[in-house]
Amino acid sequence: MGNAMRGVIAFIPSERCQRFLVGDLKEMPLDRTLDLSSRQLRRLPVAACVFDELVKLYLSDNNLSTLPAELQGLRKLQLLALDFNCFEELPAAVCRLPQLSILYLGNNKLYQLPNELSELKELNTLWLETNCFTAFPEVVCELSNLKTLHLGYNQIRSLPSELGQLEELRSIWLAGNQLAEFPPVLLEMHFLAVIDVDRNKIRYFPGLSHLQGLKLVIYDHNPCINAPVVGEGVRRVGRWADCANDEPEEDGSKAASETTAEGMEVQPEEKNDIQGQEA
């Protein structure tokens, strides 16, 4: 069935029309995974919420803006993919999934998160990239088991000091925001392995050599006048990344900087590979 026809049928709420979009949902998938991505769905059929043994549910690339309350019946769900939809608010039912550990919310229209998100005690991976956040969603600081946080391509200008409470956090991806300075709280998070502040507005980088867990720092495409000093074995991606930590930059001219940046620029596919390994 073509996408155009699916789009028309998606507006028709009858049960028969919904079966055209999602198929006949009568039996529990053997692998306990249900993939309803790219079906032009405007609402999730309640029939998809009856599989109480379901572990993974993919609803990516639809036209969803709400979810039924029955979703909270999926008590064993560990992965929920809601990226590339039309959510302006996170449905309350999502916050009532006690085993949820991976939540994809990228490429929606979210500008805030509910306080109830803190009830997801098992959540360790959260994707919020390409939404409408103008401030860091502080409820994230209450997700004590969070290991990976993707918040790239929003409009965030600073990070709260409470972020330092996340002692399990190992990678934070903040590319494409509005950070004018390197977030001070990150200087206190010695357990971080990956810091990505690519494509922000940071002019000066403090030393990072005291962050003993650090393995990778991405700082390219910032109007910076220096490169961050890092410990031995830490990979830097950005201007002057191939210079020794104690080697002073030359005249800092725009032409020289751009030449170095071109040589060290991370290609999109390479960055995606790094992010995939962290998820």
Side-chain angles (χ1 to χ4, degrees):
M1 183 188 302
N3 284 337
M5 181 61 71
R6 286 183 181 276
V8 172
I9 293 178
F11 280 99
I12 305 174
S14 74
E15 182 178 346
R16 181 179 179 183
C17 288
Q18 291 302 305
R19 282 203 300 270
F20 273 111
L21 297 176
V22 302
D24 198 2
L25 299 175
K26 289 186 177 180
E27 295 185 4
M28 173 74 184
L30 293 178
D31 60 359
R32 298 197 292 173
T33 297
L34 181 59
D35 189 353
L36 297 178
S37 300
S38 305
R39 303 294 182 93
Q40 300 286 325
L41 294 175
R42 293 182 177 274
R43 65 185 182 89
L44 177 64
V46 174
C49 302
V50 301
F51 304 127
D52 55 7
E53 296 291 320
L54 204 65
V55 172
K56 299 179 181 179
L57 176 58
Y58 295 91
L59 298 172
S60 308
D61 191 25
N62 282 294
N63 294 304
L64 298 169
S65 58
T66 62
L67 293 173
E70 287 82 356
L71 182 77
Q72 67 192 50
L74 303 180
R75 308 290 291 177
K76 296 184 179 180
L77 198 67
Q78 297 176 16
L79 183 153
L80 178 59
L82 299 174
D83 47 325
F84 292 94
N85 275 286
C86 303
F87 293 101
E88 295 183 10
E89 298 180 353
L90 184 64
V94 174
C95 300
R96 297 171 184 152
L97 299 170
Q99 298 301 316
L100 197 64
S101 59
I102 302 174
L103 178 57
Y104 294 93
L105 292 171
N107 291 272
N108 277 285
K109 301 176 181 179
L110 298 168
Y111 60 92
Q112 63 181 5
L113 295 174
N115 292 332
E116 290 77 12
L117 187 73
S118 63
E119 297 176 13
L120 298 180
K121 303 299 184 183
E122 300 300 318
L123 197 65
N124 62 54
T125 302
L126 179 59
W127 293 68
L128 294 168
E129 79 285 359
T130 317
N131 274 285
C132 301
F133 294 102
T134 57
F136 186 93
E138 296 202 14
V139 66
V140 170
C141 300
E142 300 179 37
L143 299 172
S144 58
N145 281 319
L146 198 64
K147 291 181 173 58
T148 301
L149 175 60
H150 290 264
L151 255 173
Y153 299 96
N154 283 281
Q155 297 294 315
I156 295 171
R157 297 179 180 275
S158 63
L159 304 184
S161 60
E162 290 80 6
L163 185 66
Q165 300 171 180
L166 299 184
E167 297 184 357
E168 296 298 318
L169 193 65
R170 295 296 179 268
S171 64
I172 185 164
W173 305 83
L174 298 165
N177 277 286
Q178 299 292 317
L179 299 172
E181 67 171 353
F182 189 84
V185 65
L186 298 185
L187 297 175
E188 303 170 6
M189 301 177 73
H190 299 264
F191 33 80
L192 279 173
V194 178
I195 298 175
D196 176 16
V197 289
D198 185 18
R199 299 183 187 277
N200 276 275
K201 299 181 177 181
I202 302 171
R203 295 191 58 81
Y204 174 77
F205 281 93
L208 305 179
S209 58
H210 64 290
L211 300 181
Q212 298 182 358
L214 194 62
K215 294 180 174 60
L216 170 67
V217 56
I218 305 173
Y219 61 95
D220 209 5
H221 304 99
N222 279 279
C224 53
I225 61 173
N226 72 315
V229 175
V230 296
E232 184 178 355
V234 178
R235 182 187 177 195
R236 298 185 299 184
V237 178
R239 291 180 180 178
W240 310 296
D242 55 348
C243 297
N245 273 331
D246 56 355
E247 182 178 335
E249 295 83 17
E250 297 182 358
D251 60 5
S253 66
K254 186 173 185 294
S257 299
E258 288 178 350
T259 300
T260 306
E262 288 175 2
M264 292 305 300
E265 182 173 347
V266 174
Q267 298 302 317
E269 58 270 19
E270 181 182 357
K271 190 170 181 180
N272 288 338
D273 288 344
I274 297 171
Q275 291 177 330
Q277 293 170 9
E278 292 295 322

